[in-house]
Amino acid sequence: MKNYQVVGIGNAIVDVIAQCDDSFLDHMGIEKGIMQLIERERAETLYGAMKDRTQAPGGSVGNTLAGLGNMGLGTAFIGRVKDDVLGRFYAASLAAEGTDFPNAPVPTVELPTSRSMIFVTPDGERSMNTYLGAGADLGTEDVALEVVENCEWLFLEGYLFDKDHGKTAFHKAAEGCHRGGGRAGIALSDPFCVNRHRDDFRRLVRDQMDYVIGNEHEWQALYQTELEPALQQAAQECGTVVCTRSGSDVVVIRGSERVDVPVKRVVPLDATGAGDQFAAGFIYGMATGQSLEVSGRMGCIAAAEVISHYGARPEVDLKTLFAANGVI
């Protein structure tokens, strides 16, 4: 039996969340509804301007693992944090949630722990201002083979593919996972990231990924074509292809099998983490031997739960929701 059912690798980011109104966004020069990368000085300014802020361990894959832990799977997260206040908070928070964090905070790194200042307006839109910090410098030395070789499912965060040492770390992790008989997958994360590294992403998807999760814009960016031909090409190159579409059916393709999973439209209180929790529900379904349709429905249920409240992690028992919706 493997040590872990799911191991994730991603940018270890502390989410700092505060509510605000549109006039605050205008005053601070924050573009509404998108994720912007910011420099260290800007990060400190925004952090200081947040009222009644709450902190939570975040990062896209970190949020996904929290969802999987909520559903009872054994998880570990590989990430890099500095040995500072936020880094120690991140490591302790993961441990408290039951997710192993094999990489101890590093005292010698130059940059502070990554953090994302998230401003949530009354309409539920979140405006994310992310300082990448130490987490973005994850490299091969951070990937312990005894961890990735002993997992059933590996889940990678596309954002980290933006740097060369992140690429080599992903290759090492995927090879280790396969050597141990596990299955490796990635979230494409961001169409701009895909555009910057299209050829490398294409090779990774074709040669090393057993499943890939992306939204319609990311798939179109990857193959530089309309959605349907992009998904058909992806399905020829990768084991399982998942495409989320805002407010529309989720498409899941494996070989000649295709399912279109209906999405129930809900008005979000806070859209933070919707994609991360969709991934959690979907991977949970795959890891427990469910069909593509049931796995997709689990993803949609988990995503709907997280957008019903503030914060990027589930607040109720997701398996209870699955039972209420007749998928388990």
Side-chain angles (χ1 to χ4, degrees):
M1 181 165 173
K2 299 291 179 66
N3 292 349
Y4 301 107
Q5 287 162 290
V6 185
V7 168
I9 303 180
N11 196 349
I13 301 176
V14 177
D15 286 339
V16 189
I17 304 170
Q19 298 177 44
C20 72
D21 56 23
D22 287 349
S23 63
F24 177 88
L25 297 183
D26 292 340
H27 176 69
M28 298 302 295
I30 297 169
E31 190 170 347
K32 183 174 180 177
I34 68 166
M35 192 281 283
Q36 301 178 82
L37 296 179
I38 58 175
E39 298 301 321
R40 186 171 179 174
E41 184 177 348
R42 171 77 166 161
E44 291 170 354
T45 299
L46 292 180
Y47 185 81
M50 302 180 93
K51 294 181 179 179
D52 300 322
R53 57 182 178 244
T54 59
Q55 292 180 173
S60 179
V61 166
N63 291 334
T64 296
L65 288 180
L68 288 162
N70 173 289
M71 293 177 260
L73 298 193
T75 56
F77 179 71
I78 294 174
R80 170 179 277 233
V81 297
K82 184 180 175 68
D83 188 7
D84 56 16
V85 171
L86 287 182
R88 291 188 291 273
F89 166 80
Y90 195 94
S93 297
L94 255 64
E97 292 174 347
T99 293
D100 283 359
F101 190 59
N103 302 39
V106 185
T108 54
V109 298
E110 177 185 352
L111 300 177
T113 296
S114 308
R115 74 284 309 266
S116 181
M117 276 65 68
I118 303 172
F119 296 91
V120 184
T121 42
D123 58 2
E125 283 282 357
R126 82 273 195 233
S127 306
M128 304 172 69
N129 301 264
T130 302
Y131 169 63
L132 291 177
D137 287 332
L138 182 139
T140 53
E141 69 275 16
D142 298 302
V143 178
L145 288 179
E146 62 267 24
V147 176
V148 294
E149 289 178 352
N150 281 288
C151 72
E152 296 173 11
W153 296 81
L154 177 70
F155 189 48
L156 306 173
E157 183 177 311
Y159 287 123
L160 283 184
F161 209 63
D162 224 5
K163 294 190 176 183
D164 287 343
H165 42 258
K167 293 176 184 176
T168 55
F170 279 10
H171 289 300
K172 175 183 178 181
E175 289 165 3
C177 173
H178 288 142
R179 203 160 42 241
R183 281 171 275 196
I186 191 170
L188 295 177
S189 294
D190 178 66
F192 301 106
C193 187
V194 169
N195 282 328
R196 286 192 293 271
H197 305 279
R198 182 177 294 105
D199 290 344
D200 288 334
F201 265 114
R202 290 273 299 271
R203 276 191 291 272
L204 184 74
V205 168
R206 183 186 67 231
D207 297 339
Q208 291 191 291
M209 294 295 100
D210 301 295
Y211 66 101
V212 181
I213 300 173
N215 65 32
E216 55 191 318
H217 307 297
E218 291 155 3
W219 284 115
Q220 288 169 328
L222 186 64
Y223 292 103
Q224 294 181 285
T225 185
E226 294 302 311
L227 183 60
E228 282 302 325
L231 294 180
Q232 291 306 316
Q233 185 165 352
Q236 294 173 10
E237 298 183 358
C238 172
T240 301
V241 171
V242 184
C243 177
T244 59
R245 299 179 293 174
S246 182
S248 300
D249 291 359
V250 172
V251 179
V252 187
I253 306 173
R254 182 198 289 148
S256 59
E257 182 184 4
R258 172 179 173 143
V259 296
D260 291 72
V261 183
V263 171
K264 182 180 178 182
R265 286 176 176 265
V266 295
V267 178
L269 183 63
D270 173 13
T272 310
D276 306 337
Q277 294 312 319
F278 172 85
F282 181 79
I283 294 170
Y284 176 83
M286 300 284 282
T288 56
Q290 306 299 324
S291 68
L292 295 185
E293 181 180 4
V294 169
S295 298
R297 288 182 63 195
M298 287 176 164
C300 294
I301 292 165
E305 188 282 334
V306 82
I307 66 175
S308 70
H309 56 76
Y310 290 105
R313 298 184 170 205
E315 289 187 348
V316 302
D317 183 75
L318 291 174
K319 289 169 72 174
T320 301
L321 288 181
F322 294 162
N325 284 271
V327 293
I328 59 171

